Amino acid sequence: WSWCYDDKTKFPQTAGDPSYSENNTKCTLPVKLEPHKEYVIWINTKKYKDFKDAKGTAVEPYKFSFKTK
């Protein structure tokens, strides 16, 4: 996997190791979220490409961004 960030201050504190579901269709990263904070998490980047399909093709980079209340 490649859970990534471009700004470390916007990446949540991890609360455990990433894990895959039994059928390998979901990867979960346990995190601790703070109130009133903006987060940005990337799945893969141009440099880090460890999320791959069964054939070994890297997933296109994808950005998740959200704010907590």
Side-chain angles (χ1 to χ4, degrees), residues 39-59:
Y39 291 97
V40 179
I41 303 170
W42 282 89
I43 302 295
N44 285 357
T45 63
K46 288 183 180 182
K47 184 176 179 181
Y48 300 102
K49 302 176 182 181
D50 293 320
F51 275 111
K52 299 178 182 180
D53 66 16
K55 294 180 182 178
T57 304
V59 174

Side-chain angles (χ1 to χ4, degrees), residues 56-68:
T57 304
V59 174
E60 289 293 319
Y62 189 83
K63 176 181 170 182
F64 292 92
S65 58
F66 59 94
K67 293 179 183 178
T68 55

